[in-house]
Amino acid sequence: MMTLTGKLISIQALKQQALRFWMMLHNSEMVVPQVENFKPEVKRLFGDMRRKVTWEKAFAHFYVQWLMACVGDGDLFFKLMDPERWPDWQKELKFLILEALLAHKDSREMLPNSYRYLRKTNREDLANGFLALARQSRGGAQAAPLLASAGTR
């Protein structure tokens, strides 16, 4: 199976990035992460850990879980969801990241609220990268109503 990141990042480096966000997520929940639980969780959620595509999905998932658990303001949220700010390898995962975000139970509330906040403070341009991503994706149809409720154009 073809991977999204190709040769932009090795499977080992991708595993490290997934682990990094998994650990940050657990730290944010005031839980001491037990590294021995990381691989079983990845296997349970995404399957064959020998495949790079598994680690791409794991990274996207843990990045979004951390983002939703830790980022409470619209400025930072949309900065962290702007693919133009990401390294090249992460840009290749943009649609996986968007899918993981839209699947998150809190996204229906977070997206419109964050965007409304930016509009209220005349900084909606901070959301441009995310909005462009949503428009490009298959999942954009899912994001559109959420953002429309916040008054996006």
Side-chain angles (χ1 to χ4, degrees):
M1 176 176 232
M2 182 102 164
T3 67
L4 296 171
T5 55
K7 294 184 181 196
L8 294 173
I9 188 171
S10 69
I11 191 171
Q12 292 79 16
L14 191 55
K15 287 178 184 181
Q16 286 301 319
Q17 289 294 324
L19 175 61
R20 177 176 159 232
F21 282 97
W22 180 85
M23 291 191 66
M24 289 188 329
L25 170 65
H26 284 79
N27 285 330
S28 75
E29 295 172 343
M30 306 304 264
V31 173
V32 176
Q34 297 178 352
V35 178
E36 63 271 13
N37 293 333
F38 174 64
K39 286 185 178 179
E41 185 172 350
V42 170
K43 184 174 183 170
R44 179 179 56 80
L45 292 171
F46 305 106
D48 190 347
M49 295 188 310
R50 296 170 298 175
R51 299 175 60 206
K52 192 174 185 184
V53 69
T54 298
W55 293 101
E56 291 172 340
K57 290 176 184 176
F59 171 81
H61 172 79
F62 293 124
Y63 180 78
V64 166
Q65 294 298 314
W66 166 79
L67 182 73
M68 294 300 286
C70 296
V71 177
D73 70 84
D75 293 21
L76 187 56
F77 175 80
F78 283 114
K79 284 179 184 175
L80 292 170
M81 280 303 298
D82 182 352
E84 292 306 311
R85 297 173 183 263
W86 296 344
D88 288 345
W89 66 266
Q90 189 175 346
K91 288 177 186 173
E92 297 302 319
L93 301 177
K94 63 187 176 187
F95 297 126
L96 277 180
I97 292 169
L98 181 62
E99 278 180 30
L101 176 66
L102 294 175
H104 192 283
K105 64 181 176 56
D106 295 331
S107 68
R108 296 206 179 297
E109 191 174 317
M110 173 70 149
L111 287 171
N113 288 344
S114 295
Y115 190 75
R116 271 191 221 99
Y117 169 77
L118 291 181
R119 285 190 61 219
K120 185 177 177 182
T121 58
N122 293 316
R123 294 182 310 208
E124 61 262 32
D125 59 318
L126 290 174
N128 288 347
F130 174 78
L131 294 174
L133 169 61
R135 287 182 193 109
Q136 292 172 20
S137 74
R138 287 183 287 131
Q142 237 182 313
L146 297 176
L147 295 169
S149 71
T152 61
R153 302 178 270 299

